[in-house]
Amino acid sequence: MPVRIITTHLEFEGRVSEQRVVMEGDEPPVWGEDAELRIVGKPTPRVDGRERVTGGATYTYDIQLPGQLTAAALRSPHAHARVTRVDASRAEAMPGVRAVLHRFNAGDLIDPNRDRSVFAEELPYAGAIVALVLADTREQAADACAAVMVEYETLPFVVDPEAALQPEAPRVLSDRPHNKLNDEYPQTYQRGDVDAGIREAEVTVEARFETPAAMHNSMETHGATAQWDGRTLTIYSSTQDIFGVRRAVAKALGLHQNQVRAIKQYMGGGFGSKFGPHESGLLAAYAAHRLGRPVQYMLSREDENVAAGHRSATIQHFRLGAQRDGTLTAIEQRTVGNLGALAGWFPATAMATKELYQCANVRTIDEGARTNLGPFAAFRAPGVVEGIAAMETAVDQLAAALGMDPLELRLKNYAERHQDMQRPYARKLLREAYEIGAERIGWATRDAEARRYPKGRDGTLRRGVGMASQLWGGDGGPPAQAQAKLLPDGTAVIITGTQDIGTGTRTVLAQIAAEELGLPLEAVRVELGDTEFGLYSPPSGGSMTLASMGPAVRMAAAEARKDALEIVGHLVEAPADALDIRDGGIVNRETGREMGTLGSYLEQLDGHEVTAKGMRGPNAENVTVRTFGAQFAEVEVDLGTGQVRVRRIVAVHDCGRIVNPLTFSSQIEGGIIQGLGFALMEQRVVDQRFGTVMNANLEQFHIPTIRDVPEIDIVLLDRPNTYANTLGALGAGEPPIIPTPGAIANAVAHAIGRPVSGLPLTPDRILDLLK
């Protein structure tokens, strides 16, 4: 089969890169709106549901190997310090302790993603690792941590991002000349003349909006179990990127990639924080390789909340200008992001600012500040959730200043094309999402007295309705590979290296394969999550998995089906194109006559397995593929207590073809609930005097429970986007969380009659706004 190399462009987490794609063969034609599909598009329970609910699913925590040691970490209590001495002698003499690793005996372990020692001399935040104890039990390891004696030289620190950017601020890392992310910051984007647009405006609004640092708090913390047998380092990792784990571990330990095997079968959440092996995975691998015994290192909940990453806090300033009729004349956004000490990139908040509304004059300025806090990590639509919340509240403030309906203002400035790239969108159903959402929430009656004042004007309850828009990528891209195997009994195995991070990947890939092969769903098994046997797959994040892996699986299944029909054609002495596979049986296309099962023919070949490979082709050029949507929120605010209760969310999203409405709805619900938490309760609390996190646990870091969940009305705009890929499907991981905080914030502002200036909308913040 001829090999071609094609250049394409890939968008991941809002960043665009150029990719060189190796293609073998051709992808099948896209499933259009007229495609007659039997399995794809049907609500389908998870194929691994039984394992998940009975405890049969094996998570990283569940791995128990003979002779396995458990690790626990000693972490710095100081916001900024230098380790001058470590005395581990008492700890090493304690029962069950097998080793204590620290900078004086393991300083050679380099984190390849940060290019610095894991056991560094300079510790730039409270919670940075000082030592790792390996013991027979977790309790022994934890007790021994308390016996390790450490001498520190404390150093000046800074935790406020705006203060960190001042010339006189203490250096977050002593060897760096400033606290900016790097010399490329601040980064400025501009089109047109913003200052002229402000002068031209008849109405202007200036707004400051703050968003908090939010912790991922995945139910399964970061970590890994590793084993070295003298030939292969096997690492069971709680990760969204097994091939990234293999690559990083091999580099850190000086091994070849064929000496490292990464496995991830089930994972208890990641939300963007688990790309690569994390420090915990590197340490488990290093310790296993060094000691020759299996090692499990899973972070405690407190360690998870200080050292595993978070959504970065932002301070955003907006200036908007418009004519009296609502036509936007200028948009300016300045963002300072608190990235912690060791971030490698900045989650830009300006995606919506640049392209959501039609405006000739736009300027965005992004500044990433390093501070003496734990590292930032990607978190479900990083930057875009924060940016949309701030942008959409500023748009509502402009609507109020104009005396204009907020939805009418958005429609007035509806952008039909991608303004930066000067090209069309492959499809944009945002106007339809506005119309459907407005009707279902009852937008036309949102100002009715009976609705606004449920207990009368003298009561303390106020209700409000607000909305926010959503845009994201989600079209996936290469490289992504899969293999389809038809076994002698007519069943199939699909082999990929992708990860199911809890979203139902096994199920949707099985549906796609069964559809293309012509087999019943129960005849298809999907194997994934193992670099040893799986073909290369990209990281699972950025709403990429389905749109990247699904087309590869479909192509592999199509090739296997084609080969199987060729074989059957030879056996029955008929042209392959006169035959078809339907529900596992061979059928004459012309007459519809059933000719036996596929397995009855393959069994005649003495064990032969039909094997075919598929891959994801290049992305569409000259158009921009986006997911668009809108959410509408109705809230109730108690003016006496400041308590906010979300009563209802209407979510309308265009994510192309819906492969499985059941798992899709789960994604939408999960995103909304997570967005609700960000809007109302989730925030890291830092003691400014000492630079330490005060609520690094699930008792004091509040996340939504079932009591907080409102009625959620999901509208599926289930139509294939034929530009996206051969499925016509787009990812749905990020879209549902993006507009939720902004919609809730605008609903609260509507309820209390004054704008909000930040999140979360806790009772104390509401009461301050009401003063």
Side-chain angles (χ1 to χ4, degrees), residues 449-464 635-645 647 750-752 770:
E449 178 139 342
R451 188 172 185 184
R452 289 286 305 278
Y453 307 99
K455 301 291 186 181
R457 283 185 175 269
D458 294 332
T460 62
L461 294 184
R462 298 290 184 270
R463 288 181 184 169
V635 304
E636 185 172 87
V637 182
D638 189 320
L639 303 184
T641 65
Q643 193 72 39
V644 177
R645 182 169 69 93
R647 292 170 48 83
H750 181 235
I752 66 177
L770 292 171

Side-chain angles (χ1 to χ4, degrees), residues 399-418:
L402 289 164
M404 193 173 185
D405 180 90
L407 184 53
E408 181 185 348
L409 178 60
R410 287 168 171 83
L411 290 168
K412 175 74 176 179
N413 296 283
Y414 191 86
E416 298 286 357
R417 292 169 57 85
H418 193 295

Side-chain angles (χ1 to χ4, degrees), residues 215-284:
M215 321 311 292
H216 300 77
N217 268 315
S218 306
M219 292 304 292
E220 180 184 41
T221 62
H222 286 65
T225 304
Q227 181 179 33
W228 169 249
D229 64 6
R231 181 172 178 269
T232 302
L233 190 292
T234 302
I235 179 167
Y236 302 85
S237 178
S238 181
T239 182
Q240 298 172 237
D241 181 14
I242 59 172
F243 288 92
V245 169
R246 183 179 71 178
R247 183 170 56 249
V249 168
K251 185 175 182 179
L253 301 187
L255 301 173
H256 297 297
Q257 289 191 27
N258 66 358
Q259 293 178 278
V260 178
R261 178 185 180 187
I263 300 172
K264 199 288 304 175
Q265 289 299 311
Y266 292 89
M267 186 174 77
F271 311 116
S273 68
K274 292 182 178 178
F275 292 116
H278 184 253
E279 168 191 281
S280 53
L282 289 176
L283 284 166

Side-chain angles (χ1 to χ4, degrees), residues 133-156:
V133 175
L134 288 307
D136 293 340
T137 69
R138 179 179 295 276
E139 293 74 20
Q140 290 171 333
D143 289 344
C145 282
V148 178
M149 306 301 294
V150 183
E151 292 182 7
Y152 300 95
E153 175 192 350
T154 57
L155 301 171

Side-chain angles (χ1 to χ4, degrees), residues 705-720:
T705 68
I706 194 64
R707 290 184 61 186
D708 303 300
V709 177
E711 175 190 348
I712 299 176
D713 180 8
I714 301 171
V715 180
L716 310 182
L717 299 181
D718 184 6
R719 300 173 211 164

